Amino acid sequence: MCAVPHAKVALMAISSRGFSVKSQVGFSTIALLCIFALYLPIFTLVVYAFNDTDSMSLWGGFSLRWFKSASHNVAIQDAVLRSFQIAIIAATLATAMGTLAAIATTRTAPYRGLNFKYALINQPLIVPEIVTAVALLIVFARIKVWTGYTGGAYLVAAHTAFCIPFAYLPIRARLEGMDLTLETAAADLYANPWNTFTNITLPLLLPGVIAGYMLAFVVSLDDVVITEFVKSGGQETLPTYMLGQIKKSITPEVNAAATFFLVLSVLAVTAFYFISRKKH
Amino acid sequence: MVKSQTAAVDVRGLSKHFGEGDTKVIALNNVSIVIGENEFFTLLGPSGCGKTTLLRMIAGFDFQNEGEILLYDENIANLPPFKRPINTVFQNYALFPHMTVSQNIGFGLKMLGKPKPEITARVSEMLKLVQMEELKDRKVSQISGGQQQRVALARALAPQPKVLLLDEPLSALDYKLRKEMQIELKRLQNETGITFIFVTHDQEEALTMSDRIAVMSKGNVLQIGNPREIYDRPADRFVASFIGESNFIVCKVEKKTRGSATACLPDGTSLTVDCPVDLELPQPATIAIRPEHAFISEKPGKNQLAAIIKNIVFLGTDTHVHTQLSDGTAFVVRQQNVIGEKPLQTGQNVGIRIADGAARILKD
Ligand SMILES: Nc1ncnc2c1ncn2[C@@H]1O[C@H](COP(=O)(O)OP(=O)(O)O)[C@@H](O)[C@H]1O
Ligand SMILES: [Mg+2]
């Protein structure tokens, strides 16, 4: 589970739209190698989820027993539910804040310190995750002592914070490409600033907002490092649960849970994709 | 001529600058214009003279540094754009890409909170006015440039604004479509009775379409008048050269009576000229003469300018004869082509006669 690099690749794909390397020598070979490297592990993981034995390396025939046992495992149910709850809330908050931040940093004449603000917003992309994790651990530990509150809000807050740049960047890209005279035209046609935002800016921004939400959602869903440091006792998400299992005795039940998780994420992302296509 | 005595828009002492210090650009310099109700009024001037800036102040997209803008005697200079009953046709149309043709046209009425049936009725009326009924449910990306232009017009006219602003609306169209739209715009203005403020840098477009024209240069209004006045009696050298073509000759003003004067040309010829400006005598001045107000005679005579033909350009109905006066000044004569006429030759020595009242002294 390597959250950030995946999402970074996705971000790079967004920012380098229009660039083609297809004509370069050796492109197909490298592409095949990459696909192999990316998908072979996933393929293996999924196949062994259907293994009939206790082993993660010896094939003992097809079976659904690990799915059954995983679905009856209360700890897994709990972790999956928590993962999705956190991802939904964090992605929603991050997208809302990312949208506001994107508007504030694009609908303005450039000024001294604007680049510094970009850097501040994108800080989670720059600072190593482990540093943030340790810092949050220390700060939240203090707050926990002061307030006595140890609920899920810490995880939500942490996830929201590191999801913001993933929501912000695609929204900003979309805003920068938007024709400003459209907003002027709306104002000319009696739309006050709020109506201009809801009738013109937001609908045109929607593909960016959906892309941002999707990225934030996925990044939150499979975060390990920060979650591991911030969570209180019993607040496992699926990734941290699986990490915990691997440290102990390991069975294909983990594969089954991971496969289930994979299917859910793919479904969620596909759903977003179709929603965004339908709108445009 | 102002069509009616009521002033729709009264711009008073409007100034606008961008930037400060070294980078300061004066976009409008103390501009005052009164535009009558129901007028087709044109702002004409070269690129960068401040036309768009003036339009943006009237629409409320930008705010003046000084001055007021009255709309039917009410000062609107500090109202935001969505509170001004003025609509704009943008140069790039600025149609909303996520809406259909009908939704675009209805947007203003919807924002004004009009009831649905009224919006529907008004939108179909507008669709009819600009002949776009068949394409009403298309997305605006699925219609041609000329059709987008019509939608932009309909969208701006639908809320029945008191004034319609048009910023070079025809400049993106090809020649034929542009000519059609010129006629179309005049028709729309007549049918709707709305005051139009039209911006162009094309003097021919301005002359053919406008009731009155304001000629602008470098943030200043140089002259306001109907097309005939502007063409026949340009206020200064810039107007005379920007609108139509003019020949300029440096001369000495000798005698001056009311409105006219006697000018002595470098080769000794003297001419009676229009003189709208106050001059201390004798004084050097520039006179302007339109190419179509000068005539070539093959034998130089009295009160004619001696010239030599340098180049002859055939233009179909007319011919441009490029000549050089004895002191080296270039002078163009526009002649109508007549069948059976003996053709002129380059290098020929000729005389140029100036029509009575055609020469005019200009401020520099
Ligand atoms: N937002 C702006 N910032 C700085 N300078 C501007 C701005 N808008 C216009 N100008 C300057 O003001 C002058 C007039 O511009 P404009 O009104 O657009 O001219 P026109 O429409 O007649 O071509 C130009 O010199 C232009 O560079
Ligand atoms: Mg302009």
Side-chain angles (χ1 to χ4, degrees):
Chain A
M1 286 277 148
C2 171
V4 176
H6 271 258
K8 270 185 185 157
V9 168
L11 277 183
M12 274 156 59
I14 286 170
S15 58
S16 66
R17 226 177 342 186
F19 171 68
S20 167
V21 290
K22 277 186 193 160
S23 51
Q24 302 295 309
V25 180
F27 173 76
S28 317
T29 318
I30 295 173
L32 272 176
L33 267 176
C34 289
I35 289 173
F36 201 67
L38 274 172
Y39 288 99
L40 186 68
I42 296 178
F43 182 74
T44 317
L45 174 125
V46 172
V47 167
Y48 276 90
F50 296 96
N51 195 358
D52 202 15
T53 68
D54 285 1
S55 165
M56 291 189 58
S57 49
L58 282 172
W59 180 251
F62 179 86
S63 150
L64 290 175
R65 60 181 273 218
W66 295 116
F67 282 93
K68 242 177 249 153
S69 97
S71 69
H72 290 125
N73 185 332
V74 180
I76 292 183
Q77 289 170 4
D78 182 58
V80 168
L81 189 66
R82 184 170 295 105
S83 278
F84 274 87
Q85 280 172 340
I86 293 173
I88 289 171
I89 301 172
T92 307
L93 291 175
T95 307
M97 292 184 211
T99 307
L100 296 181
I103 290 172
T105 51
T106 50
R107 292 292 182 268
T108 168
Y111 55 87
R112 196 187 276 265
L114 189 58
N115 280 332
F116 180 65
K117 279 192 191 164
Y118 289 153
L120 274 188
I121 294 166
N122 293 325
Q123 168 270 332
L125 293 180
I126 302 159
V127 178
E129 213 184 337
I130 187 72
V131 174
T132 312
V134 173
L136 285 175
L137 175 74
I138 297 166
V139 174
F140 284 164
R142 279 278 163 80
I143 300 177
K144 280 175 191 174
V145 170
W146 287 338
T147 60
Y149 172 76
T150 54
Y154 298 107
L155 278 176
V156 169
H159 278 232
T160 305
F162 70 71
C163 284
I164 283 177
F166 295 93
Y168 167 80
L169 288 174
I171 297 173
R172 194 184 102 191
R174 183 88 192 166
L175 268 173
E176 279 175 344
M178 199 186 284
D179 180 5
L180 275 182
T181 48
L182 294 176
E183 289 170 7
T184 311
D188 188 57
L189 293 160
Y190 313 104
N192 60 31
W194 174 248
N195 283 336
T196 301
F197 179 72
T198 54
N199 285 283
I200 307 298
T201 316
L202 199 54
L204 292 173
L205 205 55
L206 209 56
V209 172
I210 289 174
Y213 187 91
M214 201 166 82
L215 276 172
F217 183 81
V218 172
V219 167
S220 161
L221 208 55
D222 68 359
D223 177 72
V224 177
V225 179
I226 289 178
T227 312
E228 189 65 31
F229 278 72
V230 169
K231 69 175 208 266
S232 306
Q235 290 182 337
E236 300 288 354
T237 62
L238 194 58
T240 61
Y241 170 78
M242 287 195 283
L243 190 68
Q245 289 304 297
I246 289 168
K247 283 187 219 150
K248 300 183 214 156
S249 71
I250 179 163
T251 67
E253 194 184 60
V254 171
N255 291 39
T259 304
F260 173 70
F261 202 56
L262 179 71
V263 170
L264 270 184
S265 316
V266 169
L267 281 181
V269 170
T270 315
F272 278 133
Y273 174 73
F274 279 106
I275 293 168
S276 67
R277 269 233 321 214
K278 218 176 108 200
K279 284 278 177 189
H280 288 265
Chain B
M1 213 36 110
V2 183
K3 271 188 190 170
S4 105
Q5 292 308 306
T6 319
V9 178
D10 186 349
V11 174
R12 293 186 181 169
L14 209 63
S15 292
K16 173 74 182 176
H17 60 81
F18 296 101
E20 289 297 340
D22 290 347
T23 59
K24 183 163 167 175
V25 177
I26 297 181
L28 290 177
N29 180 22
N30 194 17
V31 167
S32 296
I33 299 176
V34 181
I35 297 164
E37 187 171 47
N38 199 10
E39 239 189 328
F40 196 114
F41 192 92
T42 298
L43 302 174
L44 172 65
S47 177
C49 72
K51 307 179 297 288
T52 297
T53 304
L54 178 53
L55 225 52
R56 286 176 59 84
M57 305 279 134
I58 298 174
F61 304 148
D62 212 336
F63 291 93
Q64 62 286 341
N65 298 115
E66 264 166 63
E68 349 186 88
I69 302 165
L70 307 186
L71 181 72
Y72 289 95
D73 296 328
E74 183 202 351
N75 190 359
I76 56 163
N78 297 311
L79 289 182
F82 56 91
K83 291 198 176 142
R84 302 187 188 194
I86 293 174
N87 290 152
T88 307
V89 176
F90 293 86
Q91 187 165 3
N92 67 353
Y93 315 139
L95 297 177
F96 305 129
H98 57 302
M99 298 183 191
T100 63
V101 166
S102 294
Q103 286 168 337
N104 263 281
I105 297 175
F107 186 80
L109 296 163
K110 189 174 145 198
M111 290 300 115
L112 285 171
K114 299 280 187 228
K116 273 238 169 67
E118 188 184 327
I119 298 180
T120 316
R122 183 91 185 122
V123 167
S124 47
E125 194 185 322
M126 283 297 120
L127 285 165
K128 202 161 154 232
L129 188 72
V130 296
Q131 293 141 28
M132 289 288 296
E133 290 130 304
E134 268 144 50
L135 302 176
K136 67 179 161 64
D137 294 323
R138 289 268 187 96
K139 277 272 163 68
V140 291
S141 54
Q142 297 164 337
I143 59 178
S144 73
Q147 290 164 339
Q148 291 183 0
Q149 167 80 83
R150 286 163 189 276
V151 176
L153 265 168
R155 183 180 72 173
L157 285 170
Q160 289 170 306
K162 294 211 169 103
V163 176
L164 187 73
L165 309 178
L166 305 102
D167 192 358
E168 311 213 19
L170 308 182
S171 61
L173 304 179
D174 60 46
Y175 182 79
K176 193 163 164 284
L177 207 53
R178 195 158 72 228
K179 290 284 154 196
E180 276 172 33
M181 281 309 291
Q182 288 180 359
I183 296 165
E184 182 82 3
L185 275 179
K186 281 297 273 186
R187 176 180 73 84
L188 284 174
Q189 201 248 337
N190 274 330
E191 280 178 26
T192 57
I194 292 174
T195 309
F196 276 34
I197 305 182
F198 180 85
V199 162
T200 182
H201 61 262
D202 179 343
Q203 47 105 7
E204 191 187 323
E205 193 165 273
L207 291 175
T208 48
M209 299 180 73
S210 322
D211 291 322
R212 283 193 313 152
I213 300 170
V215 185
M216 295 179 64
S217 168
K218 296 178 186 159
N220 294 295
V221 171
L222 301 180
Q223 188 174 7
I224 301 177
N226 68 34
R228 194 82 229 194
E229 285 164 0
I230 301 255
Y231 188 84
D232 287 346
R233 294 197 292 281
D236 65 12
R237 186 168 176 147
F238 177 86
V239 178
S241 60
F242 190 71
I243 290 145
E245 288 169 64
S246 285
N247 295 298
F248 297 105
I249 304 175
V250 180
C251 64
K252 224 184 207 129
V253 183
E254 303 268 271
K255 262 193 297 187
K256 185 173 185 299
T257 55
R258 202 192 264 188
S260 80
T262 308
C264 183
L265 304 194
D267 65 352
T269 340
S270 70
L271 266 179
T272 306
V273 296
D274 244 15
C275 182
V277 289
D278 280 332
L279 289 174
E280 296 284 324
L281 295 180
Q283 181 177 323
T286 304
I287 55 174
I289 299 153
R290 298 280 185 199
E292 68 272 25
H293 294 153
F295 306 92
I296 298 225
S297 57
E298 303 218 12
K299 292 194 197 78
K302 200 171 153 250
N303 268 352
Q304 292 189 356
L305 308 175
I308 180 163
I309 298 182
K310 288 280 170 191
N311 195 10
I312 299 169
V313 181
F314 176 71
L315 297 170
T317 55
D318 294 344
T319 298
H320 267 182
V321 185
H322 295 259
T323 69
Q324 195 177 47
L325 304 185
S326 47
D327 66 330
T329 315
F331 196 103
V332 181
V333 176
R334 188 179 183 119
Q335 268 192 334
Q336 215 168 23
N337 291 324
V338 180
I339 298 227
E341 196 183 43
K342 184 174 155 228
L344 295 165
Q345 302 288 331
T346 358
Q348 200 177 338
N349 281 308
V350 291
I352 297 173
R353 183 173 61 80
I354 314 282
D356 284 343
R360 191 171 155 77
I361 290 186
L362 297 174
K363 306 184 272 202
D364 270 313

